[in-house]
Amino acid sequence: MQPSIDHIEITVKDLEETVSFYDQFLPLLGFSLDKKTAAYIASHEKHVVEYSHPNLCIALTSPRESLKDEAVHRRRPGALHHLAFKAQTRKQVDMVHDKLVEMNADIVTAPRLYPEYHPNYYAVFFKAPDGIKFEVVCQKAE
């Protein structure tokens, strides 16, 4: 086997608001909104919006009614700390950052080098509407 992720499913507090964000963000990474689907899965009592790409599927789901008011915190045990997407160039990182600014996204840190991670580690960090932290990173020297 090769290490490869088939899909990621993220439960979000406000599905409608978060879908609006992902509709703008994921095409920057090469996802096509033509491959977006939505469904209600009654047996799990959840709505699902799925963004499919040949390399990865990302699904957003509604929370259980009893948990809908819980706060997202990436440092809780079992929580997703952050999700990083690989860019091929630093210019791609900068382009994503510029689009995120246009979207009024919550930028945690603007693109810069992080030599404490790796000498060529160039990344932007930001949060989705529910507070889930993301990163777009290029680790190539330019």
Side-chain angles (χ1 to χ4, degrees):
M1 270 180 76
Q2 291 291 318
S4 180
I5 295 173
D6 181 74
H7 66 277
I8 297 168
E9 187 169 325
I10 303 170
T11 300
V12 299
K13 184 176 286 228
D14 184 331
L15 190 59
E16 187 176 320
E17 179 185 21
T18 305
V19 165
S20 176
F21 174 83
Y22 279 73
D23 281 356
Q24 297 174 74
F25 169 58
L26 290 180
L28 301 174
L29 304 178
F31 284 80
S32 170
L33 294 182
D34 292 339
K35 302 289 184 188
K36 176 180 144 184
T37 59
Y40 179 72
I41 303 173
S43 60
H44 293 285
E45 299 178 27
K46 67 180 180 180
H47 294 272
V48 179
V49 176
E50 187 173 279
Y51 298 85
S52 294
H53 184 279
N55 297 332
L56 174 66
C57 175
I58 296 179
L60 305 175
T61 66
S62 60
R64 285 192 175 176
E65 186 64 26
S66 63
L67 301 173
K68 70 178 182 177
D69 294 323
E70 293 276 323
V72 172
H73 196 290
R74 64 193 181 99
R75 297 297 304 268
R76 284 195 172 123
L80 173 69
H81 186 275
H82 76 281
L83 185 59
F85 293 97
K86 187 183 293 188
Q88 298 306 309
T89 66
R90 292 181 186 180
K91 286 182 181 180
Q92 289 176 335
V93 174
D94 292 336
M95 180 273 302
V96 169
H97 170 260
D98 293 346
K99 294 293 185 182
L100 291 166
V101 168
E102 288 176 20
M103 294 164 49
N104 293 315
D106 180 3
I107 306 295
V108 176
T109 56
R112 70 173 178 88
L113 280 170
Y114 289 86
E116 62 271 30
Y117 301 155
H118 181 278
N120 297 315
Y121 202 103
Y122 186 78
V124 59
F125 291 89
F126 57 97
K127 291 183 180 179
D130 275 354
I132 297 169
K133 188 174 179 183
F134 289 94
E135 169 186 4
V136 176
V137 58
C138 176
Q139 296 190 53
K140 296 178 182 177
E142 288 188 31

